[in-house]
Amino acid sequence: MRNIRKTPVFLLRTQNSLLNILIITAVCLGGCTHQPSHEQLEVWRKEAIARNAEIMANNTKSSQQREWNLVIQGETKTNKTVTLNWQQLQSLATTHLQTTDANYILQPDQVFDFRGLPVSTLLQQLGYQPDVTEVTFMAYNSYQVTVNLQDLLKYPIILAIANNGKPISRNQGGPIYLVFPHSQYPYLKQQYPESFWVFYVSNILVGTEPIRLRVGKRQLHLADLEKLPQITITENVGYRSGWPSGKVKLHGVRVRDILAANTLSGKIIVQGKTALSQNNINSVTLASADIKNCDILLATKWGDNKQPIPARMGGPLTLAFGSDCQAQTNDLRWVNFVEELVIKL
Ligand SMILES: Nc1nc2c(c(=O)[nH]1)N[C@H]1C(S)=C(S)[C@@H](COP(=O)(O)O)O[C@H]1N2
Ligand SMILES: [Mo]
């Protein structure tokens, strides 16, 4: 604490600066040599808090725009992850689309001038494997929709980053908003109503990715998982998106069978797609007792005929809980797009 006391308040401004300021104020109250008056301290404290709030607001504003990446994965020509940063998106977003906004219910006939990057351009540049029939768009809040590939190739459906010449604000679905040419194509209006207009798009999946699971330093593929004991549970899927309602069969392997025996003492974080995992929206921590005692599954297939789980259902890999877990695990949240088991010893 002694050296902190000598540091000017404003040099200590970090993410926790407000807290720092309060701590320093408290420290000085107890022991500063030239003790300022209570009133003076109160003025400084208020100034510091106001300036702090201003800096934080500016940081959030610019970093939200600057750090917003668009991640494209799945069955592209190279099967490699492509990340477009904000600057690249700006220079690619040259297509204008005049259309109504399906979410602007105040004036449903009002036409907006959206500027963005056509999904067809992305698909043509990155390519797609011959068996691909659909593309899944995912948002920062884990919302997802799946659109037919042919429709994306045929119509100017765009990833909009500006509306009427201005960046799209968060409450209008920005910074990246999936926009369909409703005004031009009644077919699209009928096929892709407002629920398809995804706000804050963060990830795009072309078709479905192959299974790739990181476990510590290991990288497992479907063939590796298929060597482990296979089990089937019949459950209601615990997240929205793409599944038939009611109970479905899920086939896969138990988390405990994937882990080496010596890692079974700690906790396991089940990590879904990273852009969706911010604020832990798409990750769950499992306690070792639960992993040992109940059926916690990574599902690789579903249904009577054991089909692979497509991206539209959160596949290829999904964390699932058997009903026997109900009594034991507190956090039973299912995780879609599972990519990693993080071992916390
Ligand atoms: N990222 C994101 N986009 C989204 C949604 C959402 O929850 N998250 N909801 C969809 C649905 S179901 C509708 S009807 C419209 C409007 O959603 P709202 O009523 O929640 O604003 O946005 C669509 N786009
Ligand atoms: Mo909706």
Side-chain angles (χ1 to χ4, degrees):
M1 271 314 201
R2 281 207 83 80
N3 52 346
I4 289 179
R5 216 204 288 180
K6 295 199 195 87
T7 314
V9 166
F10 289 105
L11 293 184
L12 278 169
R13 194 173 290 106
T14 63
Q15 297 282 41
N16 291 319
S17 54
L18 187 55
L19 188 64
N20 281 339
I21 290 162
L22 294 176
I23 291 169
I24 291 154
T25 311
V27 169
C28 280
L29 273 173
C32 288
T33 356
H34 303 287
Q35 211 167 2
S37 70
H38 187 76
E39 285 74 13
Q40 183 60 62
L41 271 175
E42 194 53 26
V43 171
W44 286 346
R45 193 180 69 88
K46 285 202 174 124
E47 281 175 353
I49 289 171
R51 210 168 128 58
N52 182 67
E54 190 189 315
I55 286 169
M56 290 299 281
N58 282 337
N59 278 351
T60 343
K61 214 160 87 191
S62 52
S63 71
Q64 270 169 8
Q65 295 281 302
R66 254 203 330 271
E67 288 166 17
W68 198 274
N69 293 332
L70 181 64
V71 177
I72 304 131
Q73 293 170 303
E75 300 171 82
T76 58
K77 204 149 102 200
T78 61
N79 289 302
K80 290 214 174 87
T81 298
V82 171
T83 304
L84 299 177
N85 65 30
W86 189 246
Q87 209 166 354
Q88 291 168 314
L89 282 166
Q90 280 291 344
S91 56
L92 290 166
T94 53
T95 296
H96 283 261
L97 176 63
Q98 272 86 28
T99 183
T100 53
D101 180 343
N103 282 307
Y104 199 67
I105 32 187
L106 238 51
Q107 277 168 293
D109 296 329
Q110 185 170 338
V111 172
F112 297 90
D113 173 26
F114 287 101
R115 177 171 64 84
L117 159 64
V119 180
S120 61
T121 308
L122 263 187
L123 290 170
Q124 275 144 17
Q125 288 184 0
L126 301 181
Y128 45 88
Q129 302 293 334
D131 63 325
V132 172
T133 58
E134 55 192 29
V135 175
T136 300
F137 297 84
M138 295 178 310
Y140 192 69
N141 64 340
S142 290
Y143 185 78
Q144 66 177 79
V145 306
T146 298
V147 179
N148 181 284
L149 175 78
Q150 291 309 322
D151 289 339
L152 289 167
L153 293 173
K154 193 165 165 194
Y155 301 102
I157 297 162
I158 68 169
L159 294 153
I161 61 167
N163 181 356
N164 288 346
K166 292 201 202 92
I168 303 173
S169 66
R170 194 56 74 90
N171 61 10
Q172 289 177 307
I176 308 181
Y177 184 28
L178 187 63
V179 171
F180 296 78
H182 272 193
S183 295
Q184 292 79 1
Y185 303 99
Y187 162 75
L188 294 182
K189 192 163 177 171
Q190 173 241 317
Q191 202 75 8
Y192 302 106
E194 68 272 26
S195 59
F196 283 86
W197 292 51
V198 184
F199 307 143
Y200 3 101
V201 178
S202 60
N203 294 63
I204 298 179
L205 284 171
V206 179
T208 301
E209 291 181 285
I211 288 178
R212 257 186 318 239
L213 177 70
R214 286 190 302 280
V215 184
K217 291 194 175 90
R218 291 184 292 159
Q219 166 102 253
L220 306 181
H221 299 94
L222 178 60
D224 303 308
L225 296 180
E226 281 180 336
K227 286 180 200 137
L228 300 170
Q230 303 293 308
I231 64 160
T232 298
I233 59 173
T234 306
E235 292 298 331
N236 288 300
V237 174
Y239 56 83
R240 65 201 266 211
S241 77
W243 293 88
S245 57
K247 289 189 188 291
V248 295
K249 278 193 182 133
L250 294 153
H251 317 277
V253 295
R254 288 189 193 92
V255 169
R256 71 162 172 265
D257 292 330
I258 298 172
L259 299 167
N262 64 346
T263 60
L264 261 179
S265 54
K267 287 181 169 174
I268 300 294
I269 300 170
V270 182
Q271 186 81 62
K273 279 208 170 298
T274 40
L276 304 175
S277 309
Q278 311 263 346
N279 312 319
N280 289 332
I281 286 175
N282 206 30
S283 70
V284 154
T285 303
L286 304 172
S288 56
D290 298 326
I291 297 171
K292 277 181 208 151
N293 299 331
C294 66
D295 283 339
I296 302 181
L297 193 72
L298 281 179
T300 55
K301 304 216 160 68
W302 78 282
D304 288 329
N305 39 9
K306 301 194 174 175
Q307 306 163 65
I309 303 171
R312 68 153 63 230
M313 294 162 132
L317 209 53
T318 285
L319 179 71
F321 296 90
S323 13
D324 69 319
C325 292
Q326 222 72 30
Q328 299 159 54
T329 304
N330 309 323
D331 194 350
L332 277 175
R333 221 150 37 75
W334 293 43
V335 177
N336 55 11
F337 301 109
V338 172
E339 296 188 330
E340 183 171 8
L341 299 181
V342 183
I343 300 159
K344 291 257 168 179
L345 289 176

